[in-house]
Amino acid sequence: MKKYQLGEFEEVVMLTVGILYDEAYGVSIKKEIESRLSRKVSVGALQSALVRLEQKGYLRSREGETTAERAGRPKKYFQITAYGKKAMEYTKSTRDELWKAIPKVALDVKMVG
Amino acid sequence: MKESAVGSDGPPKIFLRLFRWYCHPKLRDAIEGDLAELYHEHVTASGKRIADLRFIVDVLLLFRPGIVRPFQHRQPFYNHGMFKNYFTTSWRNLISSKFYSGLNLLGLTLGLSVGLLILFWVNDELSFDSFHSKTDQIYRINVNLESSGNKFAVPVTQPTVAFYGLKEVPGIKQAVRVSDFSNYSVFRYQNTALKGNVTVYTDPSLFTLFDYKLLQGDIKNPFPVTESVILTQSAAKRFFGNEDPMGKVLVADNKDNFVVSGVVADFPGNTWLHCDMLFSTELTKKKYREWGWRPFDEEQWGNYGWITFLQLQPGTSVKAVEDQLTKINIKHQPTLKPVDIGYYTLQPLRDIHLFGSDGNPTGMQTVKIFSLVAFLILLIASINYVNLSTARAVLRAKEVSVRKIIGASRYQLFLQFIIQTLLFFTIALALSFVLISLVMPVYNELSGKSMHFDLFAPETWKVIGITFLATLLVSSIYPASLLSSFQPAQALRQKLSWGVGNASFRKVLVVCQFTFSVGLILATLIISHQLQYVLGKSLGYDKSHVFSVNMNNMGGHYEKVKAELLQQKVIAGVTSADNNIVNVPGASLDVDWDGKDPNRTIFVHSTKIDPDFLPLFNIPLVEGANFTGAATDSAHFILNETAVRETGIKDPIGKRFRLYSMEGTIIGVVKDFHFLSLKQKIEPFVFSYQPESSRLFVKASGTDIPAAIRAVEKIWTQYNEGFVFDYSFLDQVYEKNYQSEERTGRLFSIFTGVAIVISCLGLLGLATYTAQRKVKEIGIRKVLGASVRTLSLMLSKEFMVLVLIAIVIALPVSWFLMQQWLEDFAYRDNIGWWVVALTGIGTVLLAFGTVSIQAVRAALENPVKNLRSE
């Protein structure tokens, strides 16, 4: 089933957009990922991921308010679409299935190693 | 940290611009907002430097697919192959009709070359003194006087103005005085003795005020001692060759020694100052002290001999400085009435070349006239191109139609013909470069300039670029839009109904062309006629065979020398005076007579002469008698008629007259004679007596002039050992006064010649084309019995009507415009109506000659040959 394609970083972005719900725009998403996962996110990587996700129809955007710090440019808020939700659920369920399929022994060994 | 946030002035501009450029427009605003927000945070958190750095990294990392805007479909249509094809067809077209291309190229090359040459001249005129870094702050002081309704301004002033001005007027930053008194005639270094060096006296500030480059010497102290001299580079070369001139000693007139304290780069052609040697004003001051004159800086209020330049502080009111200086001047001369002292005006340095000291745009007028001529010549050349290329458009009709049928858009065809014109013009321009560089030396000689044709100078390209683009624009648009407008179906069927309308447009253009040419011809004739008149006019005195020489050390032996000279058969007369009669510009207000109106002043020119002066120059007396040489003559005056009229003295003989401190009586009145340029009216003149003056005038009898010169030289050198015998004929001095007019006239006639040649080339092309088109008609007419004469007339008629219309328009317009030029001359002579008529007839003949060559050739051809085909 290649129906829903979602890369690792894309998934993180989708989840974060979900967490922020009504407050998800470029900078807030970036900060949220950086604080929660303590990893650096470049504006370029984030923006290209957002563009891709919007093109795939997982996210939709609307224009928001402007502030002085933004030099008069509007914020662009993102929201998860129904289709996007399906894609996330699909990804999660495939993961879960895979998890379940792992024999307990295999994991034990790993932990020791 | 907070401070840096306050002081931050946004992210690095260049990266922001880069981002805006490459980012997809849909994303641009939101991402830029994010970047700005982050930047703002970073500045507050870690300072501007770090924030900038992060911003730059972000911008660079944002450059990735998905964010970068698509480039491909924004690019305009460009088709390399098509352009190549345009060039190929243009080139083939050019090659295939060599006659027309040749005519067209010749006309265009001539037009461009002459147009460019004139514009180079104009550019040079306009560039005068614009190279100084302080040009806009520098002003020259002019003295203005008004006498008996005449306004009068001189560019020279007293040395004291600069001295007091610097002390008392706050806006004046620097001042420099320059004067070209020549106290010495020969300078010698070891065995090299040179005369004819132009010497000036100047303040050291000359080098800080103006951008004259001091190659050697101290700019802060260019004249370390009073007896210092600064040479120009070429003067230094003449004296010292390749030796280092610094510290070398020049001997002046075998008596005074000067130390070379500096070398200045040769003065460029486009500046007001031209000299070979510069002395310090300190030397002038010393000389004044030695002669017992009043102090130079403080009290020389009557000495109008110094060109003075001021540098004003930026923002200073010129009017205020003028008023303050005028007040200073009046304050220091309490014995004179303010009206006699006059007032000062400051003239911007940029204007002094093209405007007279009274603000008259004398030079500017010539510049304007020449610009107009350049414009007309370029227009005539452009019209030629338009006419020849549209006339031959028929031949391209099929090509255009086929291109259109295949699918060429009108825009493409338009482009094709623009490119063709461009190619043509580029070839013409290249050819005119060759032509210009060939004639540049001759042109320089004619115009009295030293211009270089340097293809790598930006200045050159400014002129070339504007000219080229303007002519290209004018000549390309009409043919291109006409050619691209053909309807293929009609054009292929040879139904060229559009041809009627556009032939009449061509006729209008031919009329324009000839109107310009005929106008220029008449203008040239009027100018040369006026100059002939001026140079040949009876001046009221006879200066033929008279030459003059400075007495120098011969002073004191005048009577003896005169007696010796008069014994020679080759010498007809000898006299002495303190002015050269050819030009006596200086005038004084310090005169008085009985019955003088105290509120009215007049300028009087004066010269000191001996009794032989009037007979030698053949100036007739109207009343009274000449000086006799008696001692009482020192209190006698001879006036000219104008002086008598202006002063209003009735029965002048025996009346009292005062000139400066000289009181006396009037003993004679001479007929008016011209002692100024003929542009000016004759002014009041007074002769006073002096048995011996600084200048010796010798009239040769005319049989053997070289012998007369040798005789004078022999005696002169007896007294002036070590000096160079330097004489000048009055005729030559006189002609020099009209040099610039003569130059203008000569250049003008050359330009006119070129204009008429280009016009005729165009006419020739059109006539040839018409003859070709009518070849069958001519054949049929001939078969039916028409004579060669009637056929030629038929072909010529069409064009002759156009030329006649042009003449009718041009002659009155040009005549009217030239009257304004003539108004500059106080004495002028208008050309007769027959000259105007001759201009018209000449043009008609020239045009007829050009056209009939083709007409006769077409008429003479064997009709069978032309009718056989098809």
Side-chain angles (χ1 to χ4, degrees), chain A residues 25-26 31 47 69-70 73, chain B residues 30 32 34 37 40-41:
Chain A
Y25 73 99
K31 283 192 191 149
Q47 288 292 346
E69 297 95 275
R70 293 181 63 81
R73 314 282 162 183
Chain B
E32 199 186 316
D34 283 1
E37 194 178 332
H40 186 80
E41 269 177 37

Side-chain angles (χ1 to χ4, degrees), chain B residues 100-284:
Chain B
Y100 287 102
S101 305
L103 269 187
N104 220 341
L105 262 183
L106 186 62
L108 209 54
T109 308
L110 267 178
L112 276 176
S113 312
V114 175
L116 282 174
L117 280 173
I118 303 175
L119 290 175
F120 284 142
W121 182 91
V122 167
N123 198 39
D124 189 71
E125 283 288 294
L126 292 175
S127 75
F128 258 71
D129 282 311
S130 58
F131 59 89
H132 305 287
S133 53
K134 302 185 191 78
T135 296
D136 292 325
Q137 301 167 27
I138 302 175
Y139 295 84
R140 184 179 68 189
I141 306 183
N142 296 330
V143 179
N144 295 263
L145 288 156
E146 277 169 51
S147 95
S148 53
N150 284 338
K151 271 197 165 181
F152 180 81
V154 285
V156 285
T157 177
Q158 313 101 309
T160 40
V161 193
F163 178 76
Y164 286 103
L166 267 180
K167 274 210 310 204
E168 295 170 20
V169 181
I172 300 176
K173 214 168 169 183
Q174 280 189 90
V176 62
R177 298 166 293 190
V178 181
S179 182
D180 59 352
F181 293 140
S182 47
N183 287 325
Y184 305 102
S185 63
V186 178
F187 292 91
R188 191 173 54 78
Y189 170 70
Q190 290 172 356
N191 294 323
T192 321
L194 295 171
K195 63 156 188 165
N197 288 299
V198 180
T199 59
V200 300
Y201 291 81
T202 181
D203 290 316
S205 47
L206 182 83
F207 299 102
T208 49
L209 197 66
F210 295 101
D211 289 13
Y212 300 129
K213 228 171 147 184
L214 204 55
L215 302 172
Q216 281 178 285
D218 183 6
I219 192 163
K220 288 200 191 81
N221 187 14
F223 302 107
V225 291
T226 312
E227 276 82 15
S228 295
V229 60
I230 291 177
L231 302 180
T232 61
Q233 211 173 2
S234 47
K237 192 127 206 144
R238 284 200 295 273
F239 278 110
F240 307 109
N242 291 325
E243 291 177 50
D244 181 15
M246 291 296 281
K248 295 259 170 22
V249 173
L250 284 180
V251 185
D253 288 355
N254 281 339
K255 51 181 190 216
D256 292 342
N257 292 342
F258 292 98
V259 185
V260 179
S261 67
V263 176
V264 66
D266 284 343
F267 294 99
N270 57 351
T271 189
W272 62 277
L273 180 61
H274 292 282
C275 66
D276 303 302
M277 313 172 93
L278 302 112
F279 295 98
S280 170
T281 41
E282 289 304 319
L283 183 67
T284 316

